[in-house]
Amino acid sequence: MRSLKRVGPSVAEKLARLNIFTIQDLLFHLPLRYQDRTRVVPIGSLRSGAEAVIEAEVLLTDIKYGRRRMLLSRIGDRTGFITLRFFHFNASQQQALSPGAKIRCFGEVRYSGQGLEMVHPEYELLKSDAIPVVNHSPAHLTPVYPATEGLRQFSLRALIDQLVLDSNTLQVDVPEWLPSSCLQHLKFPPLAQAIAFVHKPPPDAPVNELLSGQHRCQQRLAFEELLAHHLSMRRRRLRYQQHQAPVFNQECQLANQLQTRLPFALTGAQQRVYAEIRQDLRRSLPMLRLVQGDVGCGKTIVAALSVLHAVESGCQAAVMAPTELLADQHYRSFRQWLEPLGVRVQWLSGKLKGKARESVLTEIAGGSAQVVAGTHALFQDDVSFSRLGLIVVDEQHRFGVHQRLALRNKGKSTQASIELYPHQLIMTATPIPRTLAMTTYADLDCSIIDELPPGRRPVQTVVIDDKRRPQVIERVHGACKSGQQAYWVCTLIEESEVLQCQAAEDTARQLQEELPDIRIGLVHGRMKPVDKDTVMQEFKCGSLDMLVATTVIEVGVDVPNATLMIIENAERLGLSQLHQLRGRVGRGDQQSNCVLLYRMPLSQLARQRLAVMHDSNDGFVIAQRDLEIRGPGELLGTRQTGMEQFHIADLQRDQVMLPDVIKTASELLNLDPEHIDAIIQRWLGRNEEYGNV
Ligand code: ADP
Ligand code: MG
């Protein structure tokens, strides 16, 4: 790296901030987008929003005084006029921009009320007509790189310039790792050419293709990047499965007992998935299984049965939920199911302090707590299990990949001098389309519960203007009077929890004033756990008719008697969140209803989302529509994918390549395992480290 010009210790330190440590890292620091500085555009053909170079003569320059002092310069060429606007300027600048001066500017064109303008363009004075214009213009589109404080575009370009000769040739070697069969099949250009091209596209490069990331050279690189991520997950899985796990009996007395005690029979889908899990648990390879299933399909009981296999074999099980509310609910469900069988269930959350915490920790360490439900507090440093055999992670979409990975080491135990790693069962109600699942969860086996318990009726959803709120309140009143229970969810776009809770408090008060004969409770994130808990229990046992809540109830909350869901400002929520919230009703055999209240004006996107919610109850359909409307980055949430550091790939745009990515990965794993490290290192660099578990 130091062999490059301009790289001293201070630049090196700044490069490190961009995760650039080697020449190869620098070469793979790819442009975010491009500017076209290769040609001078006539002012008459400028479009608002475009970035362009113009050359013109200054007609008038003046300071305008108003709310803010600014320098306005009116310039023109033979085809039209445009205004330059500067908020920061000095006298000599004003002087230089006097009428008659010829200048060249580069900037973003926008349309103001008075016509076209550029705000703070880059500009230079053209000294005389004698200098031919072409000498000034670069021969290729100008790349715009991810930059950092003190290391701006200009320096990055100068550094990368030392590595790239022209749009076809690099000054350094980069080894090609893709099998030639793959390159041929996909008609990809060689790696070196692809890199050279994206750093220095030639002047005649198809600008629109490049701007939208669809040029073959960009696709070639995106493919390899997707491949690198996919490989890193597959390898992570292989590594984990080199470990040993405790072996559980396939037949489990406790689980059989629990099944006979249940007031319902498992659905076919639950039985199938439970059988798949049992198969995993009897092997000495650690299970890595994801159970996908729409809200309300009954994942919890499947988890409870699996947990009993660990318990019966003398191991502990940990059940981790993303919120206090859900952890607490699991604690109750598991106690209700397991304690009659003589199994000791405990609870641990971040809120548990002092003596109470100590005593739970002692139980966990001693092994007398056979099942522990909790939040991610379960995996803090001071928690140590005696013999953890199974980890259940519920509502996985709320945890990051990193957290999921961090758990794996936690449960390590040693038995007869063999290190044993826990089995893992991961549950999610956020269904994602198959190919996406195969890349995102490439390290997991997948089971799907694709059936709801019998007797469930689809929730009827109506979409109503907030102006008709009084009628909605009237309807809720009637429903509650006739013995139904309702959720009233308050949402606020602000991220501020304080404001959200405030809004819920206000709504609860208002509703109570309007409906004095209805018993209304309130839960939100800032209440003490005990208070939250009391209210939830009151709602669950029917001594409250209505629960006003923030979106804390979004995940997992299960009160089968509740049949009415009102969501305020529904236009502000995403599809998966709306689906999750709506999934709180329709859990019993009674007809449930959902009212989505919206406020005008509605954006196009919001309109589409509300229509999807109205038309479908099926999580997979909704996820597919969500993918079409928003794209997978948001669908998955970057936290979840662990793919936030994509340089050039875009899951939405590039999803057509995924089947080939998967195929190529398998080929490499079989034939060229020695290249795998190199590919991963090239694209993930040091980010890969967290995966080495
Ligand atoms: P989710 O998959 O959304 O986590 P839960 O596990 O909370 O769903 O289950 C939803 C509700 O359905 C719970 O009240 C649960 O007891 C009930 N349930 C689960 N399986 C069945 C079944 N086979 N028959 C009837 N009810 C069931
Ligand atoms: Mg659940």
Side-chain angles (χ1 to χ4, degrees):
M1 195 71 196
R2 290 290 185 83
S3 63
L4 291 180
K5 273 180 264 169
R6 300 170 193 262
V7 183
S10 121
V11 170
E13 183 257 320
K14 284 169 190 151
L15 285 169
R17 262 190 261 151
L18 293 169
N19 265 326
I20 299 173
F21 302 94
T22 63
I23 298 261
Q24 175 168 285
D25 293 341
L26 188 58
L27 215 44
F28 281 79
H29 193 66
L30 301 171
L32 290 170
R33 57 189 185 87
Y34 297 96
Q35 293 168 344
D36 187 356
R37 297 172 183 249
T38 60
R39 59 203 124 206
V40 175
V41 180
I43 294 177
S45 61
L46 290 176
R47 295 267 170 283
S48 175
E51 287 182 309
V53 180
I54 54 175
E55 280 183 8
E57 187 177 321
V58 178
L59 306 170
L60 179 73
T61 294
D62 222 345
I63 297 179
K64 190 178 153 204
Y65 298 90
R67 244 175 352 125
R68 261 182 101 178
R69 204 173 78 107
M70 59 183 94
L71 186 70
L72 294 180
S73 190
R74 186 79 177 149
I75 64 173
D77 65 8
R78 257 173 267 142
T79 64
F81 306 97
I82 187 169
T83 303
L84 312 182
R85 189 184 294 270
F86 300 88
F87 296 103
H88 310 283
F89 58 93
N90 53 33
S92 72
Q93 241 173 327
Q94 182 185 0
Q95 184 62 37
L97 289 173
S98 50
K102 296 215 166 56
I103 63 169
R104 175 188 298 125
C105 320
F106 176 82
E108 187 182 335
V109 180
R110 55 175 219 191
Y111 192 80
S112 78
Q114 286 85 45
L116 293 178
E117 64 173 34
M118 279 184 183
V119 178
H120 274 280
E122 296 170 33
Y123 71 92
E124 61 184 316
L125 294 170
L126 298 176
K127 288 275 171 344
S128 80
D129 296 333
I131 305 168
V133 165
V134 275
N135 279 357
H136 284 284
S137 300
H140 53 83
L141 291 177
T142 308
V144 180
Y145 293 102
T148 184
E149 188 75 41
L151 194 62
R152 298 269 152 219
Q153 295 303 326
F154 177 79
S155 331
L156 279 165
R157 277 177 213 146
L159 288 173
I160 291 169
D161 234 30
Q162 299 175 54
L163 307 176
V164 185
L165 187 64
D166 59 31
S167 68
N168 239 327
T169 336
L170 297 181
Q171 310 266 40
V172 286
D173 275 340
V174 280
E176 175 75 75
W177 304 123
L178 291 190
S180 52
S181 60
C182 160
L183 289 173
Q184 266 166 22
H185 168 61
L186 296 165
K187 303 199 174 62
F188 280 147
L191 179 64
Q193 195 187 323
I195 296 178
F197 193 96
V198 301
H199 283 299
K200 278 194 182 173
D204 60 349
V207 176
N208 288 333
E209 241 178 55
L210 273 171
L211 294 183
S212 62
Q214 269 156 339
H215 191 274
R216 278 326 274 165
C217 288
Q218 289 165 307
Q219 291 280 290
R220 158 73 182 77
L221 297 172
F223 181 90
E224 194 175 305
E225 181 166 39
L226 289 170
L227 180 71
H229 280 264
H230 182 72
L231 281 170
S232 117
M233 298 194 93
R234 296 262 296 257
R235 194 179 60 180
R236 204 179 285 161
R237 176 194 169 82
L238 289 173
R239 286 202 186 140
Y240 193 66
Q241 297 214 311
Q242 280 165 1
H243 299 307
Q244 299 239 19
V247 177
F248 303 150
N249 286 340
Q250 201 181 0
E251 271 313 309
C252 175
Q253 297 295 326
L254 288 170
N256 292 345
Q257 281 173 33
L258 174 57
Q259 279 202 64
T260 49
R261 283 159 173 267
L262 285 176
F264 51 76
L266 294 187
T267 63
Q270 284 171 317
Q271 282 173 27
R272 192 190 64 237
V273 170
Y274 174 41
E276 285 165 0
I277 295 169
R278 271 185 323 205
Q279 285 298 331
D280 289 346
L281 294 180
R282 60 189 274 250
R283 299 194 298 167
S284 60
L285 234 56
M287 168 172 79
L288 289 169
R289 185 167 290 280
L290 174 75
V291 174
Q292 287 194 66
D294 209 346
V295 284
C297 71
K299 294 182 287 293
T300 320
I301 187 67
V302 173
L305 290 166
S306 313
V307 156
L308 287 174
H309 286 253
V311 171
E312 195 162 285
S313 304
C315 281
Q316 292 167 295
V319 181
M320 182 166 88
T323 63
E324 298 261 337
L325 212 58
L326 189 52
D328 191 59
Q329 180 180 292
H330 281 336
Y331 174 55
R332 284 168 189 278
S333 307
F334 277 72
R335 256 177 63 185
Q336 190 197 329
W337 285 327
L338 308 191
E339 281 195 346
L341 307 172
V343 176
R344 174 87 176 141
V345 183
Q346 258 303 0
W347 183 76
L348 186 71
S349 100
K351 300 256 163 85
L352 196 64
K353 295 265 153 64
K355 280 249 161 53
R357 181 182 169 84
E358 302 258 296
S359 103
V360 172
L361 291 185
T362 315
E363 267 196 59
I364 296 176
S368 62
Q370 293 163 288
V371 178
V372 190
T375 58
H376 52 267
L378 279 174
F379 295 97
Q380 270 152 15
D381 283 343
D382 60 342
V383 186
S384 91
F385 287 84
S386 146
R387 238 194 118 197
L388 185 59
L390 172 65
I391 297 171
V392 178
V393 185
D394 193 17
E395 301 298 351
Q396 122 86 12
H397 66 288
R398 287 306 201 84
F399 292 104
V401 169
H402 306 216
Q403 271 168 304
R404 171 151 69 77
L405 295 169
L407 304 192
R408 294 186 181 172
N409 286 332
K410 190 72 190 181
K412 228 177 2 182
S413 61
T414 311
Q415 207 194 354
S417 71
I418 302 174
E419 284 212 316
L420 292 179
Y421 283 71
H423 296 283
Q424 291 187 54
L425 181 63
I426 290 140
M427 307 198 289
T428 180
T430 307
I432 52 175
R434 208 178 97 85
T435 30
L436 267 185
M438 285 174 78
T439 27
T440 327
Y441 299 129
D443 57 337
L444 302 172
D445 293 309
C446 249
S447 295
I448 300 183
I449 304 185
D450 50 4
E451 183 184 353
L452 293 179
R456 295 279 174 82
R457 291 193 251 169
V459 180
Q460 302 272 355
T461 301
V462 289
V463 181
I464 296 182
D465 191 324
D466 190 64
K467 289 201 194 90
R468 288 168 58 200
R469 190 186 165 97
Q471 282 150 272
V472 173
I473 294 178
E474 205 34 57
R475 183 171 154 196
V476 177
H477 183 231
C480 288
K481 278 322 250 182
S482 71
Q484 295 188 46
Q485 285 179 286
Y487 292 99
W488 188 291
V489 180
C490 306
T491 62
L492 265 189
I493 192 93
E494 281 86 356
E495 277 297 295
S496 149
E497 207 193 359
V498 182
L499 289 177
Q500 294 218 9
C501 300
Q502 180 78 49
E505 277 170 11
D506 294 346
T507 306
R509 197 174 317 115
Q510 268 167 17
L511 286 169
Q512 189 67 81
E513 273 166 24
E514 290 185 50
L515 306 173
D517 55 342
I518 299 295
R519 297 164 299 172
I520 299 180
L522 169 71
V523 281
H524 61 60
R526 285 169 60 85
M527 285 164 59
K528 286 211 192 87
V530 276
D531 297 340
K532 250 192 281 191
D533 193 38
T534 315
V535 177
M536 282 313 293
Q537 291 318 310
E538 282 171 2
F539 188 59
K540 203 157 190 164
C541 74
S543 52
L544 287 174
D545 304 306
M546 193 200 292
L547 188 65
V548 175
T550 56
T551 49
V552 288
I553 61 148
E554 174 191 339
V555 280
V557 167
D558 182 43
V559 182
N561 268 330
T563 52
L564 193 52
M565 165 66 65
I566 290 94
I567 304 176
E568 285 198 81
N569 301 317
E571 79 279 6
R572 293 169 168 180
L573 300 182
L575 273 175
S576 67
Q577 209 176 4
L578 286 170
H579 182 60
Q580 282 282 346
L581 282 169
R582 182 174 60 182
R584 298 312 111 216
V585 295
R587 303 190 140 235
D589 45 17
Q590 296 190 51
Q591 178 60 53
S592 291
N593 293 284
C594 173
V595 179
L596 302 178
L597 284 175
Y598 66 86
R599 255 175 234 219
M600 293 298 270
L602 278 185
S603 72
Q604 181 65 22
L605 273 181
R607 216 174 273 276
Q608 283 179 352
R609 284 199 298 263
L610 295 176
V612 171
M613 289 302 290
H614 175 266
D615 294 344
S616 181
N617 264 292
D618 181 330
F620 279 87
V621 172
I622 292 174
Q624 186 59 43
R625 290 290 289 131
D626 205 9
L627 181 69
E628 288 157 21
I629 297 177
R630 287 198 302 166
E634 288 179 79
L635 175 62
L636 299 171
T638 46
R639 280 191 311 139
Q640 186 197 2
T641 59
M643 293 187 176
E644 59 268 51
Q645 62 291 60
F646 274 151
H647 294 288
I648 193 166
D650 173 328
L651 275 175
Q652 165 81 342
R653 184 190 65 209
D654 303 330
Q655 58 177 313
V656 285
M657 300 199 290
L658 291 177
D660 280 312
V661 166
I662 293 165
K663 203 172 117 222
T664 309
S666 305
E667 262 174 54
L668 283 169
L669 285 161
N670 287 330
L671 303 174
D672 293 311
E674 71 275 18
H675 290 170
I676 290 173
D677 268 338
I679 296 181
I680 294 173
Q681 172 69 32
R682 173 184 281 171
W683 287 97
L684 277 75
R686 307 208 164 175
N687 291 330
E688 227 274 314
E689 277 169 16
Y690 67 77
N692 295 337
V693 288

